Amino acid sequence: MTLPGKRLLLICRHSPYAGQLSHGALDFALAASVFEQDLTLLFMDEGVWQLLPNQQVDGKSIEKTLDSLPLYDFEELHVDLGSLHSRHLSITDLRGSVTPLSAAELPAFLDSFDQLISC
Amino acid sequence: MKISLLVLGSPLAGASADSAYHYADAALRAGHEIPGIFFYHEGVYHGNAFSAPAQDETDRVERWVELSRRGPSELVLCVASALRRGILDQAESSRRSRAAGNMHPAFNLAGLGLLVAAAGECDRLLTFGT
């Protein structure tokens, strides 16, 4: 299937284990990759908890899905620095390869995409 | 303008699903196209033909069906979200030996690829619900 080349941004705003949406958002990312869409991931609000390393859970781990993202050509993840700080987290608490975005950088970053999908 | 909708909220939990409907209704009346409305996560309950609201309540399933004819707009339930929540069409119901199919025939079950395609093809993709 050939699709018009739009830049998509998926905003992951839900905590990893408070429901299905965190998994649902990443499922969308994987589907977008299969269809060769240009998709970027941004974690904000409660979604930043998905980026903590060494998650030990019963059932399906978000961390494992995030680990698999390079296989789908997602090399870089983005995180909203304000969401981190308001939760007393810093970039060093997170897994590797996460690019922080300040409140000043965020508007232009969001504006650089054709579609925003918030899950 | 071509607009697609992504509905994440169930019909009765909060106002997001009502907002989605009223937005779609207003957009169609303003002359915009809504090729597809995607129900994901708890939003798949919108396709439950077995819901039977009281007479003085809005029928939130029938309302979408009427809108889809007017669009015309395709009503799509994410197949994984729907099966997990017990919304099955006749084919899935038979395949999984369930007593009946409860998905309204105006809806379709489809994979996430359809949502990805919509995101690429439409001018706007709006998300309703959290």
Side-chain angles (χ1 to χ4, degrees), chain A residues 13-14 21 118-119, chain B residues 8-9 16 41-42 127-130:
Chain A
R13 292 186 298 108
H14 287 84
L21 261 179
S118 167
C119 262
Chain B
L8 302 175
S16 70
H41 191 59
E42 304 279 298
T127 308
F128 290 87
T130 53

Side-chain angles (χ1 to χ4, degrees), chain A residues 6 14 21 24 35 37 115 117-118, chain B residues 40 113 116 119 122 125 127 130:
Chain A
K6 294 222 169 153
H14 287 84
L21 261 179
F35 288 94
Q37 295 295 286
Q115 307 278 20
I117 301 126
S118 167
Chain B
Y40 192 33
V116 174
C122 62
L125 171 65
T127 308
T130 53

Side-chain angles (χ1 to χ4, degrees), chain A residues 1 6 20 26-27 29 31 46 56 76-77 86 112 115:
Chain A
M1 178 164 34
K6 294 222 169 153
Q20 301 278 340
L26 293 181
D27 285 346
E46 291 292 285
Q56 294 182 7
E76 193 185 36
L77 307 176
S86 61
S112 69
Q115 307 278 20

